[in-house]
Amino acid sequence: MKQGGKMIKSNKLNKVLLILFILLILVFLLIFFILREGIDKPGKMQSQDEQIPIEIFDYKTQDIKAKENVEKIVTNLKFLGVYSYNGYQIEEKANNTIKIYLNEGEKAQINKGQRSDLEYINKNAIALFALIGNLDELDFFISTKDENINIKTQRRWANELFKINIYKDVNSRESFQKLLQDIDNMRLTTRPNNYKDIESCISDAIMTY
């Protein structure tokens, strides 16, 4: 009887261990799918190096002529390796414009399946309009191995997108951080229909899932 009792206990122990092993596998699978879902979605699971630093809000300025502030803001833009920053130029004219020069980055091919290139441009454009008061227009010049792309965007697009005055209403670190979070949760791959001047660029710059 003692031997039979030991066998029963051994069988029960084996069953418990088997159940625990199955539960452990299920937990690992659940974690894997949660992480994969977060990485695949735009704006999720970004590291600190991939995010526009909230600290650049401290350089917010009304005037495009405040060149030290403008430089701090522009040089802290983030393109996640899809583009690499290659300089900027300020044009003070009827429309105050910043020209930003970019090269195709080493992650351009890798990121094609995750976020469109135009989405990176839009996110940074919105941040610039929120931080520089009299900036009217942004002109992005992108050099790739196949072609050169020019994408223009204007302040009224950002204002219309959020239904606010994006410079005046984003007036604290907290509101700037919320703006960046809102941008991360949006698919910013298109422009309003009235932006005819960049329609030809969209077909070149947009890459979908």
Side-chain angles (χ1 to χ4, degrees):
M1 292 295 292
K2 288 184 179 180
Q3 187 175 0
K6 287 181 179 179
M7 289 181 64
I8 292 172
K9 287 181 180 179
S10 177
N11 288 336
K12 285 183 177 180
L13 180 60
N14 288 337
K15 287 180 180 180
V16 170
L17 290 174
L18 179 61
I19 291 170
L20 289 174
F21 180 73
I22 293 171
L23 287 174
L24 187 61
I25 292 175
L26 290 174
V27 169
F28 277 118
L29 287 173
L30 180 61
I31 293 171
F32 171 78
F33 284 115
I34 289 173
L35 290 175
R36 189 179 71 170
E37 182 73 4
I39 292 170
D40 286 345
K41 286 186 177 180
K44 304 300 183 184
M45 302 298 293
Q46 291 188 29
S47 72
Q48 290 298 316
D49 290 338
E50 295 173 340
Q51 298 172 347
I52 296 174
I54 191 67
E55 291 78 14
I56 66 170
F57 179 82
D58 297 340
Y59 299 100
K60 183 180 174 84
T61 178
Q62 168 59 34
D63 196 352
I64 199 172
K65 294 178 182 177
K67 294 185 179 180
E68 183 176 343
N69 291 51
V70 170
E71 182 170 358
K72 288 286 187 181
I73 294 168
V74 172
T75 55
N76 274 288
L77 299 178
K78 298 292 182 179
F79 296 97
L80 295 99
V82 175
Y83 300 125
S84 60
Y85 172 73
N86 195 33
Y88 77 100
Q89 179 182 354
I90 296 174
E91 281 194 0
E92 301 168 27
K93 52 183 183 180
N95 289 327
N96 287 330
T97 302
I98 294 180
K99 295 182 176 181
I100 297 177
Y101 300 92
L102 304 170
N103 293 326
E104 187 174 51
E106 60 183 13
K107 294 183 182 178
Q109 298 298 319
I110 297 173
N111 281 273
K112 281 184 178 181
Q114 295 185 22
R115 297 182 70 156
S116 77
D117 289 1
L118 186 56
E119 194 164 4
Y120 295 105
I121 296 295
N122 287 340
K123 178 177 178 178
N124 286 284
I126 291 168
L128 285 167
F129 288 128
L131 296 176
I132 304 172
N134 64 349
L135 172 63
D136 300 312
E137 186 173 281
L138 284 163
D139 208 353
F140 291 91
F141 294 89
I142 305 164
S143 177
T144 76
K145 61 182 180 181
D146 299 319
E147 60 188 330
N148 293 321
I149 303 171
N150 177 217
I151 301 176
K152 296 178 184 288
T153 187
Q154 297 176 334
R155 173 175 295 279
R156 70 177 184 270
W157 165 73
N159 287 341
E160 290 171 5
L161 184 65
F162 289 92
K163 308 299 182 186
I164 61 173
N165 182 319
I166 203 161
Y167 176 76
K168 290 184 178 179
D169 293 340
V170 179
N171 52 19
S172 66
R173 272 195 178 199
E174 291 74 20
S175 57
F176 182 58
Q177 187 169 30
K178 184 177 185 308
L179 176 71
L180 296 180
Q181 291 170 348
D182 289 343
I183 294 168
D184 274 339
N185 291 324
M186 299 170 71
R187 285 301 311 273
L188 297 170
T189 57
T190 58
R191 290 279 199 263
N193 292 332
N194 57 321
Y195 288 82
K196 302 297 184 182
D197 56 328
I198 64 159
E199 282 184 353
S200 60
C201 299
I202 290 177
S203 60
D204 293 326
I206 248 185
M207 298 174 188
T208 57
Y209 286 109

